[in-house]
Amino acid sequence: MDIPFELIQAIVEQLADSSKALHACALSVTDTTLSLFNHIRALSIAECNLDIHLVLLVSAAFPHIRHLNLDGVAFASPQSLHTFVAAFADLESLRDHPPPPRLHTISYKTDYVPRTPFLRWISAQPPALEHLTLQQLTPSELQSTGALLQALGSNLKSLDISFKGLSSPADVSAHLHLGANTCLHTLTMHIALRHFYGTRHPRSPADAPLALLAPTFPALRRATLALHVSFMSQFDTLDWGAFDVAFSRRAPNLETLTVQVHGAGNWDAFETHEHEHVANAPMPLCQARGTFRGLEFVRRSRSHLSQPA
């Protein structure tokens, strides 16, 4: 039997101070009952505690929210907050609630959920965020990502980043400035060579990461190039000289540069040519400084590390 909307509202009001009671009620709510809220586009939540169970209930009950206002809402953990915001696929704006002051790590590895509202919200009142992972960035997310990087400033210690498709290096240069992140000591950049090998295009998937290396990084100590490939020939298409110059000239205190090769397919070919590539010193400037530590071949949970001669 479906419960009338007015009765649901009265029950929620009566149990507003008991998350356990609300969670128990949520277990018996039907899909038909939840569909009563499908037309709602703006939602304000004030003066309450949201644990992970209520987070999932609210996000399921209001699937098409575009504007979310949080006022005096306490989350059980930063993960609950992140799960809550990411659950609204249509979200366009997030207001009022400041990010948790102890939030130190954010990791977004896919673009399956809208990240721009979340990034703008964090940028408006940035916590002391130290570790940031943003992979598969789309062109529409560059501006909000750049604003976040600027807002974090010297607090940011490590960045793991990749671009989806062929992002314009001009757009990357215009929006993403790492010069403000003066204490950045660890940088990981993913480059998906496997998607574009054999195609004719004026840009390379390595152009956007190269544009990111424009400023000088005096605090950078560890850098990783993660190359995602399927065949050995794709590995050979990277402009090694450009990255060699960038890291040797713009990271004067770099201690370790690791090149990871991720992929499957003809893996024996990688291992057969492993020592040949190291002997040819694809990054001679970094190798001369002692920072280039060789090629790390990664497949599933297995890795093979080759030291330069």
Side-chain angles (χ1 to χ4, degrees), residues 176-195:
L176 303 187
H177 305 286
L178 297 182
N181 309 118
T182 54
C183 294
L184 186 69
H185 62 64
T186 303
L187 176 63
T188 300
M189 297 190 297
H190 299 259
I191 304 176
L193 295 174
R194 63 173 178 262
H195 296 309

Side-chain angles (χ1 to χ4, degrees), residues 79 82 86 105-115 118-119 131-138 141 159-164 188 190 194 226 228 260 262:
Q79 182 59 39
H82 189 206
T105 301
I106 289 178
S107 179
Y108 260 123
K109 293 189 176 182
T110 68
D111 63 337
Y112 297 144
V113 295
R115 295 181 286 195
F118 186 80
L119 297 177
H131 312 287
L132 179 62
T133 296
L134 289 174
Q135 294 182 11
Q136 300 187 48
L137 282 176
T138 63
E141 295 173 324
L159 176 64
D160 187 321
I161 192 169
S162 69
F163 301 90
K164 186 174 184 178
T188 300
H190 299 259
R194 63 173 178 262
H228 297 262
Q260 293 180 343
H262 296 253

Side-chain angles (χ1 to χ4, degrees), residues 276-297:
E276 176 185 342
H277 280 281
V278 175
N280 291 336
M283 308 187 81
L285 297 178
C286 290
Q287 188 179 25
R289 288 178 50 190
T291 56
F292 177 55
R293 300 302 175 89
L295 309 176
E296 184 178 343
F297 293 81

Side-chain angles (χ1 to χ4, degrees), residues 163 169 172-173 189 191 204-215 225 238-247 250:
F163 301 90
V172 172
S173 298
M189 297 190 297
I191 304 176
S204 159
D207 290 346
L210 270 173
L212 198 63
L213 295 175
L225 281 180
L238 187 72
D239 187 351
W240 291 99
F243 282 99
D244 191 25
V245 170
F247 280 115
R250 297 167 189 164

Side-chain angles (χ1 to χ4, degrees), residues 43 54-65 83-88:
L43 177 65
L54 289 177
V55 161
L56 297 176
L57 170 63
V58 174
S59 59
F62 300 93
H64 301 300
I65 292 299
T83 300
F84 183 65
V85 174
F88 295 98

